[in-house]
Amino acid sequence: MENPSQTHFGAAKRILRYIAGTAEFGIWYSSKCSMTDNGKLYGYSDSDFGSCLDDRRSISAHVFSLGSGVVAWSSKKQPITALSSTEAEYVAVAFAACQAVWIRGILSELQEQSKAPTIIFCDNKSTIFMTKNAALHSRTKHIDTRMHFIRDLVTGKVVDIQYCSTHDQLADVLTKALPKDKFIRFRTLLGVCNYESRGSVESDSHHLEHFIDGSQPIPPREIAAIDGKLTPNHAFSTWFQRDQTLFSWINATLSESTVPYIVGKETAKDAWESLEHRYGSLFLAHMSLSSKNVCSM
């Protein structure tokens, strides 16, 4: 920033406005999650392409989730100038894999070592193919040798790079500006909410209301891969994270005399049905996701 311009000044003011408007936001972590199928480590890796106007370098981003919320995240400009979007994604997933190795080491010291590879979701099929096939020499020979470390990790089954749709790529929120609805959706999926006033419960209720009435189907825990083997379904992980976020909101906004009615419940739908059974049909008719109303019980 040797010669800042009005563009840099405007960007800085926008960041400060966002920080001031979200000072009460934080990540909710549920105490009900453990290192079971629902608590396995998994991550998302993404990159834009040449977004920096000064040197045309790309932004790498990754997030890792464990249990009911994200535990590690990063958004950083790449140290090299990528020649294609595939190369930019390849560099991003290499950095994400290094983060996965470090987290796995921490879990190992805590006696929570996982024998299965850590799944990292990527929305670029060409990048996934490059991590599993070293034959694309003409397209990858110019890439820094250290970036090919990801291939050793994939071969050694330390990490497993799997495809996910761009619409489900949570790391996308860390690489570029998104439309408001998409930004709020990704922010909610990351477990970020207004933890003091719980105002986000009301503002985000249109994304989560279907968890209450059960119309949101529960995705299968595992799906069949191309080779026929069952692999964890990232759609289930996303569903579980959203459900636990809503469950935490419900639990946090209840009075002490009401909390016992949801003890032992596993999902937000189960908790809501228990409250409905306790308070009768008037409860469902008059209650909403507004924390103000819930706290009035």
Side-chain angles (χ1 to χ4, degrees), residues 19 55 59-60 62 80 82 89 114 117 123 141 220 243 270 276:
I19 293 176
D55 53 19
I59 302 296
S60 292
H62 61 256
I80 63 174
E89 295 272 7
S114 175
D123 58 5
K141 61 183 180 181
D243 180 83
D270 293 338
E276 180 187 1

Side-chain angles (χ1 to χ4, degrees), residues 173-240:
V173 74
L174 301 178
T175 64
K176 64 180 74 69
L178 299 175
K180 181 179 179 180
D181 290 344
K182 191 173 185 180
F183 174 83
I184 293 178
R185 175 174 176 267
F186 281 171
R187 186 179 67 183
T188 302
L189 291 177
L190 291 173
V192 178
C193 62
N194 191 322
Y195 60 88
E196 290 188 358
S197 65
R198 279 91 181 186
S200 61
V201 174
E202 183 176 11
S203 62
D204 292 339
S205 62
H206 62 286
H207 294 302
L208 300 171
E209 60 186 357
H210 297 300
F211 283 77
I212 293 296
D213 57 18
S215 60
Q216 174 70 38
I218 302 177
R221 292 174 180 265
E222 297 179 320
I223 57 176
I226 299 177
D227 57 4
K229 296 181 180 180
L230 292 178
T231 60
N233 183 9
H234 85 279
F236 176 82
S237 300
T238 300
W239 173 89
F240 181 78

Side-chain angles (χ1 to χ4, degrees), residues 23-42:
E24 297 180 346
F25 279 64
I27 301 177
W28 277 96
Y29 295 101
S30 174
S31 61
K32 296 181 178 296
C33 295
S34 60
M35 291 297 293
T36 60
D37 289 339
N38 296 335
K40 288 184 177 179
L41 176 69
Y42 65 94

